[in-house]
Amino acid sequence: MRIDIVSLFPEFIAQCAGVGVVGRAQERGLLSTHGWNPRDYAAGGYRRVDDRPFGGGPGMVMMIEPLQACLSAARAADEAPAPVIYLSPQGRPLTQAKVRELAALPRLILLCGRYEGVDERLLAAEVDEEISIGDYVLSGGELAAAVVIDAVARLQEGALNDAESAVQDSFEGDGLLDCPHYTHPASHALGEVPAVLRSGDHAAIARWRRQQALGRTWLRRPDLLDEAALSKADRALLEEFRQQWRH
Ligand SMILES: NC(=O)c1ccc(N[C@@H]2CC[C@@H](O)C2)nc1
């Protein structure tokens, strides 16, 4: 998968994409990221990329021309077609389902804005979809782009070793929150590891983990819990959890 990032701070993305799972995915050739700086496509000595907003008001707006030229150069760098995604609070919320959809594409172009945003005419002409990573305002789209890159990178085939299996994560196969995790030491002043996890009874362990995922989703994110979609076994597990919780 190829990801091109249009940003005034391409070095920011290179840093994020260079470490951990994403860095390893790049080393393994599963993913490549390429930064493009609109300032390199801005005309004139000042290499101007922003200007004052029509209608007045604080801050600056990113201009059409440098972005349009930069996007054209990015597009031309590879023959694979790619949606242009603009990161902004006005976008559709990013979900794991959307991440899975994006991760299946051969290529993405991520447009990161700064200042107050981007001239609407550029967005209307060049952007295929807007995505938001949450209902809050950031100083630039780069952090949101880094989130998208991380989320899609870890879904690339071969990015995660078995031990890091993505399947166990929340929002993966089933949209539930993750179960609790424990490691050595088994006994600590902060408490004991649940005995079931040390029992070697894999069926009991799987049952406990499923019940914890169901219970935690019910307690913390009931909005994610579509009880209708739960299997009969899941509903029984959740009911048992609720009974225990109430006593
Ligand atoms: N929640 C988000 O995904 C998000 C994305 C971008 C952003 N800020 C940039 C700066 C100017 C404009 O391009 C938008 N804030 C929040």
Side-chain angles (χ1 to χ4, degrees), residues 86-89 113-118 131-134 136-141 144:
Y86 177 56
L87 292 310
S88 93
R114 283 270 156 174
Y115 314 112
E116 298 310 305
V118 172
I131 287 179
S132 169
I133 61 167
Y136 38 82
V137 180
L138 302 168
S139 56

Side-chain angles (χ1 to χ4, degrees), residues 3 22 31 34 39 46 51 56 64 87 102 124 130 152 174 180 197-198 210 228 234 238-240:
I3 304 179
V22 186
L31 173 84
H34 308 262
R39 198 171 297 283
Y46 286 101
D51 206 335
I64 296 170
L87 292 310
L102 297 176
E130 284 193 42
V152 301
D174 53 18
L197 296 179
R198 304 176 63 210
R210 183 70 184 175
D234 280 344
L238 180 52
E239 193 44 42
E240 186 184 55

Side-chain angles (χ1 to χ4, degrees), residues 45-164:
Y46 286 101
R47 303 205 302 161
R48 173 164 219 147
V49 294
D50 63 309
D51 206 335
R52 287 176 293 111
F54 278 114
M60 304 291 272
V61 176
M62 294 185 78
M63 299 164 74
I64 296 170
E65 281 303 317
L67 286 173
Q68 198 168 41
C70 186
L71 280 165
S72 298
R75 265 200 204 90
D78 190 294
E79 79 283 347
V84 175
I85 294 173
Y86 177 56
L87 292 310
S88 93
Q90 287 72 44
R92 289 179 60 182
L94 184 67
T95 62
Q96 192 64 23
K98 185 69 182 175
V99 168
R100 280 195 288 270
E101 181 190 311
L102 297 176
L105 298 176
R107 190 182 179 201
L108 292 178
I109 298 177
L110 303 179
L111 173 59
C112 305
R114 283 270 156 174
Y115 314 112
E116 298 310 305
V118 172
D119 190 301
E120 190 64 21
R121 291 167 291 177
L122 185 281
L123 301 180
E126 302 279 355
V127 168
D128 297 296
E129 58 182 302
E130 284 193 42
I131 287 179
S132 169
I133 61 167
D135 291 332
Y136 38 82
V137 180
L138 302 168
S139 56
E142 286 80 6
L143 276 171
V147 163
V148 171
I149 292 168
D150 187 290
V152 301
R154 58 191 297 282
L155 295 188
Q156 298 303 303
E157 191 63 41
L160 297 179
N161 303 322
D162 287 348
E164 302 157 318

